[in-house]
Amino acid sequence: MLQENADWIAEQFQACRLGDVRRTNRLLKVAGHMLESPEQSLPQQNAAWSDVKAAYRLFAAKGVSFAEVASPHWELTRQTAPGRYLLISDTTDDDQGTHKATQGLSQLGNGQGRGLQLHSCLMVESDTGIVRGTAGALVHYRPIVSKRETRTQRLKRIRESELWGRLVDAVGSPPEGAQWIHVFDRGGDNFEAFCHLKLSRCDWVVRAAKLNRNVIDSSGNKVFLKEALEAATVLGHYELALRSRPGQRARRAQLEVASLAVQFPRPHIKSAYVKQCGITSIEMNVVIVREIDAPKGVKPICWVLLTNLPVETFEEAWQVIEDYERRWLIEEYHKVLKSGCNMEGHALRTTQRLEPLLALTSVIGVRLLQLKTIARTEPETKAKHRIPFDWLQVLKALKPRIDLASLTVYQFFRELAKLGGFLARKHDGEPGWQTIWRGHQKIHAVLFGMELERKRNKNCG
Ligand SMILES: [Mn+2]
């Protein structure tokens, strides 16, 4: 069941320890305003000037940090019932390039941008794809690195590749009966990250970044992974419809699924952490998805996934592929943060103030993502079992012809999008989430009016 916005906000932020209960109350207020119009700036969200000033004061206060603001949400997310969960991590840039005055930013990308990096871990229910929330996040400032940096210097500083393992540690181990599976793209493929994963009692599915690396094959020979793959056992085939892309026509790709088991030996060049943790080799199951008979001039699909999950049968390998395919959710989350929550538009004077605001934004973004994805994950469920009663009542008031008893979640979100300007013509396809969000805001404007009315009646009576 989706909660009412106010209940949800209270649950996420009530437990924040900010050194003073008045600060927590202020945070609840700022969060409520942010959720009402997440795409706007702080002064727009907090209409009264006194509220804007109070928000700025809050983010400037000592003890109001990135971790303090977000950790109650992280802890809530991590309280998983027995079951199977995916923990999808990735990094996104928070480009603050237009805010020249902010102190403490570092360089981004090819050195053109200025900002910071947000590395988050999104937790998703494996069977349904339902987004639970973020289980942890880190802020990283990319250092300006000299071209003449030595190998020792590189291993000493905090590298981006290290973020993956550090976040695994911060997220920790699953509670009794729950299975946590970390999903990384190629950025997270490094021996150090695998050591953290192994020690955390979590499972993993990671896309291989490089195939020309040493592994030990089943007969104990040291070979390149690329060569070892030739001995993989073919488990089955499937067909994938690929949409057209610039320079490529739509096609139906024939894919072969194969698997094998290898050992990843500890690399020669190792960080202090790898030396300390004492792991000298990691057993790795490999799933290969490769296109056969690709048309001429087309680069055939080839994915190599590294996992500790079993991959001996087609069903097992298929599960690993499905787990990896859920990665789009974190891309979507980053999109929501940028285009839905104005992440890069918020300007504060120092990064010390920007960080708690970013933490707040990262939690509010979860709410937007949940609203967006529930229409996809549970389309046929009756809306009355999932959508707050008040929202349905307002929709009914605005559109009397709707039958609330039979309305599904899918239909509810279509109606919401229509309130937000979606035309629902045949060729319009599925509504984008901006229109869904605008419809959601309309419903809340009505609810807000009703609340005022109720208060006034109470005062008169
Ligand atoms: Mn990535």
Side-chain angles (χ1 to χ4, degrees):
M1 183 84 191
L2 268 181
Q3 279 168 298
E4 277 297 348
N5 286 352
D7 298 342
W8 186 84
I9 294 267
E11 207 174 87
Q12 310 309 313
F13 299 107
Q14 198 98 72
C16 285
R17 299 251 167 279
L18 306 177
D20 187 328
V21 69
R22 281 169 299 183
R23 287 191 192 140
T24 308
N25 290 338
R26 176 53 65 181
L27 179 66
L28 287 167
K29 208 164 176 185
V30 176
H33 289 154
M34 183 179 274
L35 188 54
E36 276 165 29
S37 45
E39 76 288 5
Q40 293 189 320
S41 67
L42 267 187
Q44 285 166 328
Q45 288 167 357
N46 299 275
W49 179 236
S50 57
D51 281 342
V52 181
K53 277 199 295 186
Y56 283 140
R57 249 199 327 271
L58 173 71
F59 294 124
K62 272 215 180 84
V64 181
S65 67
F66 182 81
E68 290 300 340
V69 169
S71 54
H73 169 76
W74 297 337
E75 276 160 32
L76 217 59
T77 304
R78 295 195 293 243
Q79 287 166 17
T80 48
R84 193 177 194 273
Y85 301 88
L86 303 176
L87 287 85
I88 313 168
S89 296
D90 208 0
T91 316
T92 191
D93 288 350
D94 180 359
D95 193 338
Q96 294 275 327
T98 52
H99 311 135
K100 297 247 155 55
T102 310
Q103 289 166 14
L105 297 171
S106 66
Q107 69 171 22
L108 288 176
N110 51 11
Q112 298 296 316
R114 277 176 83 251
L116 47 86
Q117 291 182 307
L118 176 67
H119 187 70
S120 333
C121 173
L122 191 69
M123 194 190 272
V124 176
E125 287 181 20
S126 160
D127 301 344
T128 57
I130 289 173
V131 174
R132 281 185 62 80
T134 53
L138 298 170
V139 170
H140 180 64
Y141 298 88
R142 183 183 279 179
I144 296 165
V145 178
S146 149
K147 282 210 177 93
R148 282 173 299 178
E149 181 184 52
T150 63
R151 192 182 276 170
T152 339
Q153 282 170 332
R154 188 172 65 85
L155 287 172
K156 267 194 186 143
R157 70 173 160 87
I158 296 174
R159 290 148 294 127
E160 266 158 68
S161 59
E162 216 176 289
L163 291 176
W164 303 81
R166 283 177 43 197
L167 190 54
V168 167
D169 285 359
V171 168
S173 304
E176 193 66 34
Q179 185 185 18
W180 288 2
I181 302 151
H182 284 272
V183 179
F184 298 167
D185 69 1
R186 283 183 274 200
D189 170 15
N190 62 74
F191 192 82
E192 185 171 330
F194 290 123
C195 292
H196 285 274
L197 286 164
K198 215 173 143 68
L199 295 174
S200 73
R201 292 194 288 111
C202 291
D203 298 306
W204 65 80
V205 174
V206 178
R207 178 144 182 215
K210 42 185 192 293
L211 301 183
N212 56 346
R213 57 132 63 82
N214 285 324
V215 300
I216 312 289
D217 69 10
S218 53
S219 15
N221 298 321
K222 196 196 242 181
V223 293
F224 271 172
L225 177 58
K226 200 166 30 181
E227 295 154 12
L229 291 181
E230 286 162 20
T233 317
V234 176
L235 301 172
H237 296 84
Y238 71 104
E239 206 181 59
L240 185 70
L242 294 170
R243 274 188 282 176
S244 61
R245 277 187 298 169
Q248 265 188 34
R249 267 196 274 166
R251 71 176 193 278
R252 301 196 71 83
Q254 303 301 321
L255 299 171
E256 176 189 89
V257 178
S259 74
L260 85 159
V262 292
Q263 293 271 342
F264 274 31
R266 184 164 79 168
H268 290 298
I269 307 158
K270 43 196 167 289
S271 63
Y273 173 84
V274 171
K275 264 184 225 165
Q276 258 167 35
C277 78
I279 296 175
T280 53
S281 111
I282 294 178
E283 281 174 37
M284 198 72 80
N285 292 331
V286 188
V287 174
I288 312 110
V289 179
R290 53 190 160 204
E291 186 171 3
I292 40 182
D293 305 329
K296 263 207 185 107
V298 168
K299 197 172 171 236
I301 292 173
C302 180
W303 295 347
V304 177
L305 301 176
L306 309 172
T307 182
N308 66 329
L309 298 171
V311 295
E312 274 168 31
T313 66
F314 184 75
E315 285 68 33
E316 287 171 341
W318 186 251
Q319 180 67 64
V320 168
I321 296 167
E322 263 187 342
D323 291 343
Y324 191 76
E325 282 178 344
R326 289 260 196 230
R327 244 195 42 84
W328 68 272
L329 279 162
I330 195 143
E331 312 273 356
E332 205 63 42
Y333 174 59
H334 291 158
K335 260 191 244 165
V336 161
L337 289 183
K338 288 183 185 189
S339 63
C341 295
N342 192 28
M343 177 173 93
E344 294 173 320
H346 289 305
L348 289 179
R349 214 175 307 149
T350 64
T351 49
Q352 184 255 321
R353 300 174 187 196
L354 190 62
E355 284 189 19
L357 174 59
L358 179 61
L360 175 60
T361 314
S362 74
V363 179
I364 297 293
V366 164
R367 177 72 171 170
L368 269 72
L369 183 67
Q370 284 172 338
L371 269 180
K372 191 187 172 190
T373 49
I374 190 175
R376 262 216 221 189
T377 51
E378 301 184 278
E380 297 310 323
T381 310
K382 291 274 178 290
K384 61 181 177 194
H385 299 314
R386 285 288 177 276
I387 309 298
F389 178 75
D390 285 355
W391 300 13
L392 293 172
Q393 291 305 309
V394 172
L395 182 67
K396 177 80 182 166
L398 295 172
K399 301 189 154 196
R401 271 200 259 159
I402 285 174
D403 174 24
L404 290 187
S406 67
L407 192 74
T408 64
V409 166
Y410 174 79
Q411 289 163 336
F412 171 79
F413 279 95
R414 252 184 119 74
E415 291 302 331
L416 211 55
K418 281 197 226 165
L419 287 180
F422 177 61
L423 294 175
R425 293 165 304 192
K426 243 189 198 143
H427 59 270
D428 284 331
E430 297 305 316
W433 71 277
Q434 262 99 348
T435 51
I436 291 179
W437 191 254
R438 271 203 297 274
H440 167 265
Q441 280 168 321
K442 249 188 202 165
I443 295 238
H444 278 79
V446 175
L447 281 174
F448 183 65
M450 280 163 51
E451 186 63 24
L452 281 183
E453 191 69 15
R454 237 191 324 256
K455 271 186 195 156
R456 199 163 48 199
N457 289 342
K458 229 199 267 168
N459 289 345
C460 293

